[in-house]
Amino acid sequence: MKKSLLRWLVSFGLLIFIFSIALAGCATEVSYEITSQDRSILAQPSVCYIATYYYAYVYDAWYDEWSELYYYGPMGGTGFCVNPNTGHIVTAAHVVDTPVDEIKYAIVEAYINDYYDISTFTEEDWDNAFNTFRIEGEDSPEPDREIWVQFNTATAGIPDDTNENYTIAELIDFSPWEQRDIAILKTTPITGRSLSSIMLGDSSMVEIQDNITIIGYPWTGEISWESIMTPTVASGMTSAKKMVGGAEVIQVDMTAAQGNSGSPVLNESGEVIGILTMGTTESVNFLRPSSDVAAMLSKNGVTNEQGMVDEEFKNGLIMYRLKYYSEAIENFNAVLNLNQGHLLAQEYRSKSQEAINRGEEEEFKEGTEVNIVE
């Protein structure tokens, strides 16, 4: 009896061993190499539109009285998230930092136009007004400033309040335009609106004629304050490295316009190698290198990292490319559980379902391993 039981146990163990080998032989490995188009798509959710405006009271020295609030702006530009867990965003400093004199002249001029007959004004009258009138914020001698951030689609006008699109941001640090022209902002993470982010690359490795991609919110002649904007993707190449004001800039040949200031510029690996800061023409522009951005982040104790939204969206896009549409939908649903406003996850989830309905889905067999080639 004992020998029979022993033989049975040995036979059973052998069967299990053979079965496990057979299963291993059935395992499938699928490779997918992420393309430059994929990298651009993966980067887009981290890019945001930034609207900055100022408000102040005017002190009328001629009548010794204060006005109601006057507004200046908004100034529009682009930024990108570098840490979704802390809500830190990078942009060009001049997007969020306007010289006080420029604000004063604009607000005082608006006030005078409202309350005086400027048809009688001489140049001396204007000079006298600008020299004797002053502007102040509600609680400080400087104009008040508000910075608003929008991801995905954006409206160019001034927001009324925080909502599903607008998030107010705090200015953490900046280097003025004439120095590095970089600013760090911080938003408060909101449940159900988890952010995406993008990684910085090594700008010291940039070579002339490298292919690059810019993502941002450029203005055109058709855009008004009520216009709805979406991120625009353009390509180009690096053309030179130069020194401006004692700091290095990277010259690029690519189309950009007002509103692209602060846009991330990506290398072929999808990493940020610089941010757009200025241009001499629409097609000749300059970047502040990512090494300068990294230094400012480090100075403020900010780490550059990605989060769960980024991982789920990347996996979903890869499953979509491999035509494993049901698996892709699971990933896109996970993204939307974290951020209901993730427009690209919504778009690719719909595309996946449409492909399933057309009968185009490939079967995702149990045990299949997807090897991602970065």
Side-chain angles (χ1 to χ4, degrees), residues 5 11 14 20 46 50 56 59 73 77 80 82 93 120 125-126 148 190 192 232 259 271 329 345 368:
L5 179 60
S11 299
L14 184 60
S20 65
S46 68
I50 297 172
Y59 173 69
F80 57 97
V82 292
T120 64
D125 292 327
W126 282 108
W148 294 84
I190 300 172
T232 297
E271 301 166 326
I329 287 174
T368 299

Side-chain angles (χ1 to χ4, degrees), residues 118-130:
I118 61 171
S119 65
T120 64
F121 265 46
T122 64
E123 186 174 338
E124 184 179 352
D125 292 327
W126 282 108
D127 289 341
N128 183 266
F130 290 133

